[in-house]
Amino acid sequence: MDNDALQSMNWRERLYVIIFFTNTPAGRRFDTWLLVVIFASLVVVMFDSIAHYSERYGLLLDGLEWLFTGIFLVEYLVRIYCHPEPRKYVFSFYGAIDLLSVVPAFIALLLPDAEYLLVVRAIRMLRVFRVLKLTQYLSQANFLLVALRGSKQKIIVFLLSVTTMVLVYGTLMYVIEGPANGFTSIPMSIYWAVVTITTVGFGDIVPVTPLGKAVATLVMITGYSIIAVPTGIFTAELATAMRADSLQHRCPTCEKLTHEPNAAFCSRCGSQLFRQADRDPQA
Amino acid sequence: MDNDALQSMNWRERLYVIIFFTNTPAGRRFDTWLLVVIFASLVVVMFDSIAHYSERYGLLLDGLEWLFTGIFLVEYLVRIYCHPEPRKYVFSFYGAIDLLSVVPAFIALLLPDAEYLLVVRAIRMLRVFRVLKLTQYLSQANFLLVALRGSKQKIIVFLLSVTTMVLVYGTLMYVIEGPANGFTSIPMSIYWAVVTITTVGFGDIVPVTPLGKAVATLVMITGYSIIAVPTGIFTAELATAMRADSLQHRCPTCEKLTHEPNAAFCSRCGSQLFRQADRDPQA
Amino acid sequence: MDNDALQSMNWRERLYVIIFFTNTPAGRRFDTWLLVVIFASLVVVMFDSIAHYSERYGLLLDGLEWLFTGIFLVEYLVRIYCHPEPRKYVFSFYGAIDLLSVVPAFIALLLPDAEYLLVVRAIRMLRVFRVLKLTQYLSQANFLLVALRGSKQKIIVFLLSVTTMVLVYGTLMYVIEGPANGFTSIPMSIYWAVVTITTVGFGDIVPVTPLGKAVATLVMITGYSIIAVPTGIFTAELATAMRADSLQHRCPTCEKLTHEPNAAFCSRCGSQLFRQADRDPQA
Amino acid sequence: MDNDALQSMNWRERLYVIIFFTNTPAGRRFDTWLLVVIFASLVVVMFDSIAHYSERYGLLLDGLEWLFTGIFLVEYLVRIYCHPEPRKYVFSFYGAIDLLSVVPAFIALLLPDAEYLLVVRAIRMLRVFRVLKLTQYLSQANFLLVALRGSKQKIIVFLLSVTTMVLVYGTLMYVIEGPANGFTSIPMSIYWAVVTITTVGFGDIVPVTPLGKAVATLVMITGYSIIAVPTGIFTAELATAMRADSLQHRCPTCEKLTHEPNAAFCSRCGSQLFRQADRDPQA
C-alpha cells in the first residue's frame, strides 16, 4: 500500500490501517515499537519476581508496570475507536488478549497480594504472535495442523495407551516400593512414572529395592521405545502432507489441483494434463 | 439403528444391543455412565492410597469401593445374561477384564492387607478401551501394528544389540567405579547403564572417577545416537504402510495398480476407475 | 536337511553339521542347550558381583563358573576337532569369542583379584548372536548398515560439530561457574556438557550462577534441536534404502534388479519390462 | 596434482599449494602434523585446567602453550606470506580463527588472570574443520542446510510457541510453588521449565506441592509430545531434498524429468539418457 492511498483516508481509517496492518512504513514502525514495549513489560515482570531487585527497585518497577499498562490501555482504546466493527474486535481472540494486558494492574490495586496476576501478565507474550503478523507463517502452521489432524486418531490411541501404562506402572511401583521409599501414594507414583517414561528423570524419587529397579528398567525401556511412535506418526503424516502439496498440478478441464508425479491424465475427469516437464522440476 | 428396530426386540435382545453396542441413544447413555463410574472408581483407588485421605475418609472410600464393585458386579451378571453366547463372553479378553473389576473387593475381605490388589484395581483402566468402543480406531491401530510387525526383525536385532551393550557397559562401570562409588553390583551397574542410555538420568548413581566419567560420556553419546535407530525404523515402515494403503487401486484397463486416494480415472490410460466410495471411506 | 542325509555321514561330519548349523533337530536341541548355558553363566557372573550372594554362596558360584568353563572348553575343543578348517575357525571372530569364554577362569587362577576379567566374562553375551544363528536377520541388519553407510559423511560432519560445541560450551561453563560450583576442570565441564546435550541430566553438577543457568538454557535448547538431525538423517536414508528394495524388478534382458515403480522399459538396456501388475501389488 | 607440476613452481607458490591444498603428498603430511599440533594444544588447555596437574606441571604446560603458540604464529605468518591475496586471507573466516589461535598467549602476558582466554583457546577446535579440508563433506552439509532452510518458517513458529509455553509454564510454577520450594523467581522457573521440556531433568529444582507436580506432569507430557515436531519437520524436509536430488535427470526424448539414480535409459520411452557418470558421482 503506497503512501498516497494512505493520505486519501480520513484520520480514523488511517489509524486502522497503521495499527491493524503491516503494509505501511508507519504500520511497521508502530509494530516495532509495540514489540519493544511488550518485551520490556515482560522483562519488568521477570525482574519484579527476583527478590534482590524488587526490594531495591520496587518503586521503579511498579512505575514501569503502570507506564506499560497505560500504553496498552491507550492502544486498546485506540484499537476499539478505529476498528470498523469495534464489537467484533473486542470479542475476538486478540481483543481478549489485548484486554488481559491491561487488567492485572487495576486488579492489583484491589487485591495487592494476588500473585496469580503474574500468570495473566505473562500471557502478554501471546501478543507477540499478533504483532509479528504471522500470516506469512500460517501456511506453514497449516501444514503442521494438517499433519496433526491426519494423525489425530493414532495419537488418541497412543495417549490412551500411555495413560493406561502410566497408571498400571505407577500402582505397581507404589505396591513394590511403598511410602518408605518415597512412593507415598498412587498419584505420586504416577508422577514418578511420567517423569521416567518421558525420560526427564528428575531423581527426586528413585526406586530403592532390587525389584523396584527391575520394574523401573522395564518402564525406561518402554518409554524409550514408544518415543518412536509419535515421532513416526507425525513424520509420516507430515511427509504425506508435504508430498500432496508438491504434487499440486492443476487440471485444465476440471480444475482438480493434485495429481500423481507421473500423471499424464487427470484422475478425476480423464482429460490430458500438461507434460510433467513444463512444471516445477521437483516431482 | 433406529428406535423402531429396538422396540421390536424382546427385553434381553434390547439389553444386549444397548450394553454391547453404541449405535442407540440408550447405548450411548449407558456407555457415558459406565465411563463416569470407571473413572470415579479409579479416583477412589488413588485417594485411598494417600495417607491423609485414607485416614480421615477411610470408611467413605471403602463404601464407595463397595458401591462401584456392586455396580460392576450387576453389570457383569447382566452382560452374561443378555449375551447370546455367555460362555464366549466370559472367556473373552474383555470378559476377563470385567471380572477383574469385581474380584479385588471380595478377595480383600479374606486378605485385608493384600496390597497387590491395588494393581488389579488399576487394571480397570483397560475397560475404558472397551467402553470407548475403539473399533473406529482399530484401523488406525492396525497401521501401527503393520508398521511394528514390518520392523519386527529389525527391532529384535536392535534390542539384542542394546542388551549386549548394556551388559558390557554395566560390567565395565562396575569394574571401573566399584561398590565404593555406588556401583555395588553388576545388576546395579546395568540399571545405571539403562538409566543412562535411555537418557533418563536419575542421578541416584553417578560416575565419580575420571575414567568412569569418560566411559559414561561414551555411554551417553552411544545412547543419543541409537535413539535415532528405532525412530528411523518405525517411521520408514509407517510411511511405507501408509503409502501402500493410500495407493492400492487397480485400473481395469491398463492394470496400473497404484493411484491417488481420490482418483476416478486412471492417470496412465485415462479409463474410468471404480468409484472410490465403494471402497474403504478412509483411504 | 533330513535325518537320512545325516546318517550317511561319519561321526565328525555329523558333529560339524549339528554344532555349526541349525537345520537338524539335533542341531536345534544343541543350540537351545547352549543358549541356556550361556545365560546361566551370565546369571552366575551377576550373582557373583552381589556381595550378599558372593559371601554366602561363594563356593557354589565358583563351582558353577568352573562347570560352565568346562562345558565351554569341551565345546571349543569339539568345534576345533570337527571343523573342516580348524585354523580358519580359530582365527574367525566367533572363534575368538568362544576362546574368550574359556580363558577368564584360568587367568583367575594366576591373578585371583583381576576384576577386569568380569568384562571378559560379560563378553560371552556376544555368543548369543552366533547361537541364535541370526543369518535370517542379516538382511535386516544389512538395511541398517546401508542406511548408516549412506549417512556416514553427514554423521561425521554432525559428530565434529557436536564435539566442537561440547568443547566450547564446556570451556565457557568452566570459566563462568568455576571450580567452586562443581565445574572443577575443563574435562569435567565437557562431561557436564555431554550430560546436558544428550538430555541425560544426572544433576550431579548443575549451574549455580544466573549467567551459568542462562548458558545452560542455551545448551539444552541446542541439544534438544540437534537431536532431530541424526534421527532425520537416518530416517531419510533408511526410507531410501527400503524404497530401493521395494522397487526391485528384475529386467529379463540385462538382469538389472531395481527399477522405478512405473517403469515400462529397463532403464539400463531399454528392453521392455513385464507389466507392473504381474508383480508384488505393493509398488 | 603430480609432483612435476609442483617442481615447476617457485618456492612461494609451492608453499601455498602445500599449506592451503590437500592434493600433494607434502600437503597431506603438513595437514596431518597440523592436526596433531591442534589436538595436542587442546589437550594442554584441558590439563592446564585440572588443579592437580597445573600445580605440579605448571611450568611444563606453560612452556608447551608457548611452543604451540610459536608454531601457530609461524604458520600464520607463512600463510600470509604465501597467499596470493594476503588481505583476503587475513579477513576471511579461517584467517580470523588462525589469528585467534595465536593471540591468547600474548594477552595472557598483559592480563595473567584473564580466564575467559580459555574460551578463545578452545575455539582452536574450529581449525580442525579447515585442516580436514571438509570440502568433500560440503555437499552433505549442503543437504542439511537445504533441509534446515526449507523448514525455517516452520521452525520459527515452533520456537515462538515453545518460548511462549516456557514463559507461561514458568510463571505458573513460580506462582504455585513459590520461593520456598526453590522456584525463587520467574527466570529461575523458566530455567526449570526449559530443563523439564527438553527432558534433561537435572533435579536441582523439583516441584514439591501436589498441584505443582500435576502441572509438572503436564509440562513433561507437552515436552515429550513436541519433541516429535522438529524431528518430523526436519526429516520430511530432508527426505524431500534427498529425493529431489537423486531423481533430477531430464530425458531428451520424452522430457520425463525424474529417473532412477543409475538410469541409462528413460523408463517411460526407452530412449538413451546421458551417462550418469557425466554428472555428480554421488547421486
Side-chain angles (χ1 to χ4, degrees):
Chain A
M1 187 178 280
D2 56 288
N3 262 326
D4 293 341
L6 207 58
Q7 297 299 335
S8 66
M9 295 173 178
N10 68 30
W11 179 234
R12 204 173 131 195
E13 286 169 351
R14 222 182 290 169
L15 256 181
Y16 175 64
V17 169
I18 290 172
I19 293 180
F20 280 89
F21 294 89
T22 194
N23 51 3
T24 58
R28 244 166 280 135
R29 242 174 294 132
F30 174 82
D31 284 352
T32 310
W33 277 107
L34 193 55
L35 216 57
V36 168
V37 173
I38 291 170
F39 279 117
S41 83
L42 286 172
V43 168
V44 166
V45 169
M46 285 187 201
F47 272 95
D48 205 18
S49 77
I50 306 174
H52 179 83
Y53 294 101
S54 68
E55 276 160 20
R56 242 162 269 200
Y57 310 102
L59 263 171
L60 175 67
L61 292 169
D62 276 12
L64 282 171
E65 172 62 17
W66 275 109
L67 173 67
F68 293 133
T69 300
I71 294 173
F72 291 146
L73 182 61
V74 170
E75 186 215 339
Y76 185 61
L77 296 176
V78 170
R79 276 183 192 270
I80 293 178
Y81 165 72
C82 73
H83 198 283
E85 293 170 278
R87 187 177 292 264
K88 205 173 147 192
Y89 163 68
V90 169
F91 292 102
S92 72
F93 174 69
Y94 281 123
I97 298 288
D98 291 351
L99 182 61
L100 280 177
S101 305
V102 179
V103 160
F106 293 98
I107 297 181
L109 282 184
L110 306 171
L111 307 155
D113 292 332
E115 272 219 305
Y116 56 84
L117 289 175
L118 275 171
V119 182
V120 181
R121 282 166 74 186
I123 288 171
R124 278 176 199 170
M125 181 68 195
L126 282 176
R127 302 193 69 202
V128 170
F129 282 84
R130 195 255 283 281
V131 176
L132 287 180
K133 305 248 156 61
L134 289 168
T135 42
Q136 46 170 326
Y137 300 107
L138 279 188
S139 73
Q140 300 295 328
N142 199 36
F143 260 127
L144 298 182
L145 286 180
V146 166
L148 282 176
R149 206 173 309 134
S151 38
K152 203 184 67 181
Q153 289 189 306
K154 292 194 200 73
I155 282 172
I156 287 177
V157 172
F158 174 73
L159 282 184
L160 262 178
S161 310
V162 169
T163 307
T164 308
M165 221 159 64
V166 160
L167 192 67
V168 172
Y169 275 138
T171 312
L172 199 62
M173 287 302 280
Y174 171 70
V175 170
I176 292 171
E177 291 281 335
N181 296 328
F183 293 77
T184 52
S185 67
I186 291 182
M188 188 68 103
S189 295
I190 288 173
Y191 164 74
W192 174 85
V194 171
V195 166
T196 305
I197 275 190
T198 56
T199 77
V200 171
F202 281 135
D204 52 346
I205 313 170
V206 289
V208 176
T209 62
L211 184 58
K213 290 194 185 208
V215 173
T217 302
L218 201 69
V219 175
M220 282 179 272
I221 286 169
T222 317
Y224 193 61
S225 307
I226 61 176
I227 210 171
V229 176
T231 308
I233 292 169
F234 182 76
T235 305
E237 290 285 348
L238 194 67
T240 304
M242 281 169 65
R243 203 179 309 124
D245 181 83
S246 77
L247 296 182
Q248 286 202 0
H249 187 183
R250 186 184 291 266
C251 167
T253 311
C254 72
E255 304 274 292
K256 184 167 184 296
L257 261 180
T258 61
H259 296 89
E260 270 184 294
N262 299 312
F265 295 92
C266 172
S267 61
R268 197 206 279 155
C269 67
S271 65
Q272 198 164 5
L273 296 172
F274 294 121
R275 283 268 164 85
Q276 185 73 9
D278 303 336
R279 293 172 50 225
D280 175 68
Q282 175 175 335
Chain B
M1 187 177 280
D2 55 288
N3 262 327
D4 293 341
L6 206 59
Q7 297 299 335
S8 66
M9 294 174 178
N10 68 31
W11 178 234
R12 203 174 131 194
E13 285 170 351
R14 224 183 287 171
L15 256 181
Y16 175 63
V17 168
I18 289 173
I19 292 182
F20 280 89
F21 293 89
T22 195
N23 50 3
T24 58
R28 243 167 280 134
R29 241 174 294 132
F30 174 82
D31 284 351
T32 310
W33 278 106
L34 193 53
L35 217 56
V36 168
V37 173
I38 291 171
F39 278 117
S41 83
L42 287 171
V43 167
V44 166
V45 169
M46 285 188 202
F47 272 94
D48 205 19
S49 77
I50 305 175
H52 178 82
Y53 293 100
S54 68
E55 276 160 19
R56 242 161 270 200
Y57 310 103
L59 263 170
L60 175 67
L61 292 169
D62 276 11
L64 283 172
E65 173 61 16
W66 276 109
L67 174 68
F68 293 134
T69 300
I71 295 173
F72 291 144
L73 182 60
V74 170
E75 187 216 338
Y76 185 61
L77 296 176
V78 170
R79 276 182 193 270
I80 293 178
Y81 165 72
C82 72
H83 199 283
E85 293 170 278
R87 186 178 291 264
K88 205 173 147 191
Y89 162 68
V90 169
F91 291 103
S92 72
F93 174 69
Y94 281 123
I97 298 288
D98 291 351
L99 182 62
L100 280 177
S101 306
V102 179
V103 162
F106 293 98
I107 297 182
L109 283 184
L110 306 171
L111 308 155
D113 292 332
E115 273 219 305
Y116 57 84
L117 288 174
L118 276 172
V119 182
V120 180
R121 282 165 73 187
I123 288 172
R124 279 175 196 169
M125 180 70 195
L126 282 176
R127 302 194 69 203
V128 170
F129 282 84
R130 193 254 284 280
V131 176
L132 287 181
K133 304 250 156 63
L134 289 169
T135 43
Q136 45 171 325
Y137 299 108
L138 278 188
S139 73
Q140 299 295 328
N142 200 34
F143 260 127
L144 298 183
L145 285 181
V146 165
L148 283 176
R149 207 172 309 134
S151 37
K152 203 185 67 180
Q153 288 189 307
K154 293 195 199 72
I155 283 172
I156 287 176
V157 172
F158 173 73
L159 282 184
L160 259 179
S161 311
V162 170
T163 307
T164 308
M165 221 160 64
V166 160
L167 191 68
V168 172
Y169 274 140
T171 313
L172 200 60
M173 287 303 280
Y174 171 69
V175 170
I176 292 173
E177 292 280 335
N181 297 327
F183 293 77
T184 51
S185 66
I186 291 181
M188 187 69 101
S189 295
I190 288 173
Y191 164 74
W192 173 86
V194 171
V195 167
T196 305
I197 275 190
T198 57
T199 78
V200 171
F202 282 135
D204 51 346
I205 312 171
V206 290
V208 176
T209 62
L211 183 58
K213 291 194 185 207
V215 172
T217 302
L218 201 70
V219 175
M220 282 180 272
I221 287 170
T222 316
Y224 193 61
S225 307
I226 59 174
I227 209 170
V229 175
T231 309
I233 291 169
F234 183 75
T235 306
E237 290 283 350
L238 195 66
T240 303
M242 282 168 64
R243 202 180 311 125
D245 180 83
S246 76
L247 295 182
Q248 280 192 17
H249 195 182
R250 185 187 293 263
C251 167
T253 311
C254 74
E255 303 275 289
K256 185 170 185 295
L257 258 181
T258 61
H259 293 91
E260 271 184 292
N262 299 310
F265 293 91
C266 174
S267 63
R268 197 207 276 155
C269 68
S271 64
Q272 196 163 6
L273 297 173
F274 293 120
R275 281 270 163 85
Q276 187 71 13
D278 304 338
R279 294 173 50 223
D280 176 69
Q282 182 100 29
Chain C
M1 186 177 280
D2 56 289
N3 263 326
D4 294 340
L6 207 58
Q7 297 300 334
S8 68
M9 295 172 179
N10 67 30
W11 179 236
R12 204 174 131 194
E13 284 170 351
R14 223 182 288 170
L15 257 182
Y16 175 64
V17 168
I18 289 172
I19 293 181
F20 280 90
F21 294 89
T22 194
N23 49 2
T24 58
R28 244 167 279 135
R29 242 174 294 133
F30 175 81
D31 284 352
T32 310
W33 277 106
L34 193 54
L35 217 57
V36 168
V37 173
I38 291 171
F39 279 118
S41 83
L42 287 171
V43 167
V44 166
V45 170
M46 285 186 201
F47 272 94
D48 204 19
S49 77
I50 304 174
H52 178 82
Y53 294 100
S54 68
E55 277 161 19
R56 243 160 269 199
Y57 309 101
L59 263 171
L60 175 67
L61 292 168
D62 276 12
L64 283 171
E65 172 62 17
W66 276 108
L67 174 67
F68 294 134
T69 300
I71 294 173
F72 291 145
L73 181 61
V74 169
E75 186 216 341
Y76 185 61
L77 295 176
V78 171
R79 274 182 195 271
I80 292 178
Y81 165 72
C82 71
H83 198 284
E85 293 170 278
R87 186 178 291 264
K88 206 173 149 191
Y89 162 68
V90 170
F91 291 103
S92 72
F93 175 68
Y94 282 123
I97 298 289
D98 291 352
L99 182 62
L100 280 177
S101 305
V102 178
V103 161
F106 293 98
I107 298 183
L109 283 184
L110 306 171
L111 308 155
D113 293 332
E115 272 219 305
Y116 57 84
L117 288 175
L118 276 171
V119 182
V120 180
R121 283 165 73 186
I123 288 172
R124 279 176 197 168
M125 179 70 195
L126 283 176
R127 302 193 71 201
V128 171
F129 282 83
R130 193 252 285 279
V131 176
L132 287 180
K133 304 250 156 61
L134 289 167
T135 41
Q136 45 171 325
Y137 299 108
L138 278 188
S139 73
Q140 300 295 328
N142 199 35
F143 260 126
L144 299 182
L145 285 181
V146 165
L148 283 176
R149 206 172 308 134
S151 37
K152 203 184 69 180
Q153 288 189 308
K154 293 195 199 71
I155 282 172
I156 287 176
V157 171
F158 174 73
L159 281 183
L160 261 178
S161 311
V162 169
T163 306
T164 308
M165 220 159 65
V166 160
L167 191 67
V168 172
Y169 274 139
T171 313
L172 199 62
M173 288 303 280
Y174 171 70
V175 170
I176 292 173
E177 292 281 336
N181 295 328
F183 293 77
T184 51
S185 66
I186 291 182
M188 187 69 102
S189 297
I190 288 173
Y191 164 74
W192 174 86
V194 171
V195 167
T196 306
I197 275 191
T198 56
T199 78
V200 171
F202 282 134
D204 52 346
I205 313 171
V206 290
V208 176
T209 62
L211 183 57
K213 290 193 186 209
V215 173
T217 303
L218 202 70
V219 175
M220 282 180 272
I221 288 169
T222 315
Y224 194 61
S225 308
I226 60 175
I227 210 170
V229 175
T231 308
I233 291 169
F234 183 76
T235 305
E237 290 284 349
L238 195 65
T240 304
M242 281 169 66
R243 204 179 308 124
D245 181 82
S246 77
L247 296 182
Q248 286 200 2
H249 188 183
R250 186 185 291 265
C251 167
T253 311
C254 73
E255 304 275 290
K256 186 171 182 294
L257 262 180
T258 61
H259 295 90
E260 272 183 293
N262 300 311
F265 295 91
C266 173
S267 62
R268 197 207 276 155
C269 67
S271 65
Q272 198 163 4
L273 296 172
F274 294 120
R275 282 271 163 86
Q276 186 71 10
D278 304 336
R279 291 174 48 227
D280 174 70
Q282 175 175 333
Chain D
M1 185 177 280
D2 55 288
N3 262 326
D4 293 340
L6 205 60
Q7 297 299 336
S8 67
M9 295 173 177
N10 67 31
W11 178 236
R12 205 175 131 192
E13 285 170 351
R14 224 183 288 171
L15 257 182
Y16 175 64
V17 168
I18 289 171
I19 293 181
F20 281 89
F21 294 88
T22 195
N23 50 3
T24 58
R28 243 166 279 136
R29 243 174 293 132
F30 175 81
D31 284 353
T32 309
W33 278 106
L34 193 53
L35 217 57
V36 168
V37 173
I38 291 172
F39 278 118
S41 82
L42 286 172
V43 167
V44 166
V45 169
M46 285 186 200
F47 272 94
D48 205 20
S49 78
I50 305 173
H52 179 82
Y53 294 101
S54 68
E55 276 161 18
R56 243 162 269 200
Y57 310 102
L59 263 171
L60 174 67
L61 292 168
D62 276 12
L64 283 171
E65 171 63 17
W66 275 109
L67 173 68
F68 294 134
T69 300
I71 295 172
F72 291 146
L73 182 60
V74 169
E75 185 216 340
Y76 184 61
L77 295 176
V78 170
R79 275 183 193 271
I80 293 177
Y81 164 72
C82 72
H83 198 283
E85 293 170 277
R87 187 178 292 264
K88 206 173 147 191
Y89 162 68
V90 169
F91 291 103
S92 72
F93 174 69
Y94 282 123
I97 298 289
D98 291 351
L99 183 60
L100 281 177
S101 305
V102 179
V103 161
F106 293 98
I107 298 182
L109 283 183
L110 305 170
L111 308 155
D113 293 332
E115 272 219 305
Y116 57 84
L117 288 175
L118 276 171
V119 182
V120 180
R121 283 165 73 186
I123 289 172
R124 277 176 198 169
M125 180 70 194
L126 282 175
R127 302 194 69 201
V128 170
F129 283 83
R130 194 253 283 280
V131 176
L132 287 181
K133 304 249 156 61
L134 290 167
T135 41
Q136 45 170 327
Y137 299 108
L138 278 188
S139 72
Q140 300 295 328
N142 198 36
F143 261 126
L144 298 182
L145 286 180
V146 165
L148 283 176
R149 207 172 308 134
S151 38
K152 202 184 69 182
Q153 289 190 305
K154 292 196 200 72
I155 283 172
I156 287 175
V157 171
F158 174 74
L159 282 184
L160 261 178
S161 311
V162 169
T163 307
T164 308
M165 220 159 66
V166 161
L167 191 67
V168 172
Y169 275 139
T171 313
L172 200 62
M173 287 303 280
Y174 171 70
V175 170
I176 292 172
E177 291 281 336
N181 296 328
F183 293 76
T184 52
S185 67
I186 291 181
M188 188 68 103
S189 296
I190 288 173
Y191 164 75
W192 175 86
V194 171
V195 167
T196 305
I197 276 190
T198 56
T199 78
V200 171
F202 282 134
D204 52 346
I205 313 171
V206 290
V208 176
T209 63
L211 184 57
K213 289 192 188 212
V215 173
T217 302
L218 202 70
V219 175
M220 282 179 273
I221 287 169
T222 317
Y224 193 62
S225 307
I226 60 176
I227 210 171
V229 176
T231 308
I233 292 170
F234 183 76
T235 305
E237 291 284 349
L238 195 66
T240 304
M242 280 168 66
R243 203 181 310 124
D245 180 84
S246 76
L247 294 182
Q248 281 193 15
H249 194 180
R250 185 187 291 263
C251 168
T253 311
C254 72
E255 303 276 290
K256 185 168 183 296
L257 257 181
T258 61
H259 294 90
E260 272 184 292
N262 299 311
F265 293 91
C266 172
S267 63
R268 198 207 277 153
C269 66
S271 65
Q272 197 164 5
L273 297 172
F274 293 121
R275 283 268 165 85
Q276 187 70 11
D278 303 339
R279 295 173 50 224
D280 176 68
Q282 183 102 31

